[in-house]
Amino acid sequence: MIKDAYDRDSVGRYVEAIRPLLGSDALADSVTRAAAQLSGDGDARSKINAALPSIDAAEGSSGGAEGGDVPYLSREPAVSLVQSAVEDAWHQRGVAEQAPGTPGILAWLRAHWVKFGQILAGLRHPGNFTPDDPDWVVKIAEAMLGHLAMGNAPFNPKPAEHAISDSARLVIVGDWGTGLPRAQAVAKLMAAEIAEALGQGREVHVIHLGDVYYSGLPSEVKRHVLAYWPVTAEQARAGVTSWSLNGNHDMYSGGFGYYQNLLGDPRFAAQHSADGAATSFFRLTSPSWDFVGLDTSWDTDVLSKGASAVLQDPQAEFVATVAKASDRKLFLLSHHQLDSAYDKEDIGPVLTAKLGPVLETGRVTAWWWGHEHRVMGLNPVHKVQFLRCVGHGGVPVLQTHAPDAPIPAPGAWEPRGFLNISGEHWALFGFAVMDLDGDQIQVRYRDEKGATVKTETIE
């Protein structure tokens, strides 16, 4: 991540610099093509202008409102695409990444190295490369508008289905797609868990609960996910499978990076329907368990913020069919949450409306999700006993809760470890490991330091 793209004030300046240029000859064709994808009345410029709210009005992601060095991740697709465009433009000029929440001297060195890179870029290509440079801003705007003009990738209504053993290991991480050094550290720990399981003769399956930042562009998928994904090509050929759910940030660029680039990687070959097409929902079946991964992000609206879950048909019907087909225990996975202790405004009506009939039978044993950038357990609701948020894979947020502070309902437990960086407490990244043992699952939650912060048995 590069500060010019994740600093809230900087992003706001870019948005306001783009706005008056929407009526320029330089952007006329781009504005027309992008506006054709947007619903509603009005001329093309007005539609794009409305799709690009000011930063004060634009909603940020979970935990992203603390300010300071906490990266701003917009939930407005057009604003998020501006962030992607700024970062891509700097990468094209050889500017290095900056890591939010980097300790002391490393932060100073990285900041000055990036600044040096920006100076070199300016010498090679005259211009000041700021929101005050019209040519630079036109380049950013063209990229943003170009992605809007593509619309959304089509939804595949057919699931992927894959048989696994009752002794398999599942390694699960959520909201990991930042590519930051701390996220890379998480990947290395995940890789060690994969290697250990293979050494024990276990099957291994690795699942990402979704979100590649800022907007799921192909370049971001390559740079933030595929470059550090903990499964090697050799392991994939030996049977280690990889899976990824669709997150709201993945859809901000239409989902093309997700469907074509992420799921197009050979390591994700299993996540294709029977006709060979990439698909965003799946079922992993062991003799004792059905794990169903749901796409709660795909939407027809290219400007959907994705703050709350949606559920494109026929996924609810598929869950109901799986629930009726056997007495295997049912474990749901999604990007969005069923319930929340902290982000209650993100709880919409869709999941309970569409999945309510299955939930009320008590057939769903567990449901895990990401979306919120934390790890915690929730008390049972809707007759689901094991509700867990595992969205702390790679997004830097401050740890704002004291270890002994009460956990809001329906929260049950919450590890509150942190890194102390220049006097600020940054919440620890992490992931989860599930070892299947017949009709039980032994779970370990690990943080980025390698510590096991909690264990439990799901049965």
Side-chain angles (χ1 to χ4, degrees):
M1 303 179 92
I2 294 174
K3 191 167 185 178
D4 208 24
Y6 73 72
D7 178 79
R8 186 177 184 276
D9 291 339
S10 173
V11 176
R13 290 181 63 209
Y14 276 107
V15 167
E16 297 311 316
I18 289 170
R19 201 179 306 283
L21 296 178
L22 293 175
S24 68
D25 291 342
L27 291 178
D29 288 344
S30 297
V31 167
T32 299
R33 289 194 298 271
Q37 293 291 341
L38 308 184
S39 60
D41 299 323
D43 62 89
R45 180 182 180 181
S46 297
K47 290 170 74 174
I48 298 299
N49 190 60
L52 198 65
S54 69
I55 289 299
D56 289 339
E59 183 180 350
S61 67
S62 174
E66 288 96 343
D69 206 26
V70 176
Y72 172 71
L73 302 175
S74 179
R75 281 187 176 174
E76 295 285 349
V79 176
S80 187
L81 284 169
V82 169
Q83 295 183 264
S84 294
V86 171
E87 187 149 306
D88 264 6
W90 280 120
H91 274 291
Q92 290 166 13
R93 283 156 180 76
V95 172
E97 297 265 335
Q98 289 169 285
T102 302
I105 188 64
L106 289 178
W108 186 89
L109 289 171
R110 281 184 175 142
H112 284 74
W113 180 252
V114 169
K115 187 64 178 178
F116 179 64
Q118 291 171 330
I119 291 171
L120 286 180
L123 293 174
R124 290 195 301 267
H125 310 280
N128 64 21
F129 299 96
T130 72
D132 299 320
D133 180 345
D135 291 337
W136 177 249
V137 174
V138 165
K139 177 182 177 66
I140 302 304
E142 284 177 333
M144 177 269 290
L145 293 166
H147 290 295
L148 280 181
M150 292 174 68
N152 285 348
F155 178 80
N156 182 354
K158 302 173 183 177
E161 302 202 50
H162 188 78
I164 66 175
S165 78
D166 251 351
S167 62
R169 172 169 292 178
L170 275 59
V171 182
I172 299 181
V173 68
D175 300 70
W176 174 75
T178 60
L180 293 172
R182 291 172 56 201
Q184 295 173 39
V186 169
K188 290 177 181 177
L189 291 169
M190 294 167 64
E193 292 283 358
I194 295 167
E196 179 190 74
L198 293 175
Q200 296 170 349
R202 290 179 179 269
E203 289 182 9
V204 188
H205 311 281
V206 187
I207 302 171
H208 182 219
L209 299 178
D211 266 0
V212 178
Y213 303 95
Y214 303 92
S215 312
L217 297 184
S219 58
E220 292 168 332
V221 167
K222 179 179 179 181
R223 196 165 57 237
H224 297 165
V225 176
L226 299 180
Y228 307 112
W229 187 246
V231 178
T232 68
E234 182 180 1
Q235 289 171 338
R237 289 191 293 269
V240 178
T241 65
S242 297
W243 309 81
S244 184
L245 297 178
N246 190 14
N248 54 307
H249 282 267
D250 300 309
M251 286 302 300
Y252 290 168
S253 59
F256 294 100
Y258 169 74
Y259 282 105
Q260 297 177 2
N261 299 86
L262 200 163
L263 299 184
D265 186 278
R267 292 170 290 181
F268 290 82
Q271 196 171 330
H272 290 68
S273 50
D275 59 3
T279 184
S280 53
F281 69 114
F282 58 82
R283 175 191 185 187
L284 307 181
T285 302
S286 81
S288 301
W289 293 88
D290 273 311
F291 296 88
V292 177
L294 298 171
D295 181 348
T296 56
S297 298
W298 192 92
D299 201 310
T300 56
D301 183 3
V302 298
L303 292 180
S304 172
K305 299 178 184 180
S308 300
V310 291
L311 195 67
Q312 180 70 14
D313 293 337
Q315 293 183 92
E317 180 183 350
F318 179 67
V319 173
T321 299
V322 170
K324 292 178 182 177
S326 75
D327 60 357
R328 283 186 292 267
K329 294 181 179 181
L330 183 53
F331 197 127
L332 299 184
L333 301 163
S334 62
H335 179 69
H336 290 83
Q337 63 275 69
L338 177 66
D339 207 342
S340 179
Y342 295 107
D343 292 0
K344 294 184 182 297
E345 66 277 7
D346 287 351
I347 305 302
V350 173
L351 293 181
T352 51
K354 287 199 166 189
L355 297 175
V358 174
L359 295 175
E360 291 308 308
T361 65
R363 282 285 287 116
V364 180
T365 299
W367 190 335
W368 283 22
W369 57 76
H371 199 46
E372 298 182 39
H373 303 144
R374 59 176 55 89
V375 58
M376 70 180 305
L378 285 76
N379 288 310
V381 297
H382 300 292
K383 299 184 180 179
V384 184
Q385 293 300 306
F386 296 92
L387 298 168
R388 306 291 182 256
C389 175
V390 188
H392 63 319
V395 176
V397 295
L398 296 177
Q399 179 55 269
T400 58
H401 309 295
D404 57 351
I407 299 173
W413 53 263
E414 180 186 18
R416 289 174 171 174
F418 58 85
L419 296 176
N420 189 330
I421 301 174
S422 301
E424 290 188 314
H425 291 180
W426 292 83
L428 291 169
F429 292 177
F431 65 104
V433 181
M434 298 198 298
D435 286 333
L436 276 59
D437 184 13
D439 64 355
Q440 295 186 335
I441 304 175
Q442 306 302 324
V443 184
R444 291 177 286 122
Y445 300 87
R446 300 188 63 192
D447 67 26
E448 64 187 277
K449 297 179 179 180
T452 297
V453 297
K454 184 175 177 60
T455 63
E456 65 176 338
T457 300
I458 294 178
E459 56 187 349

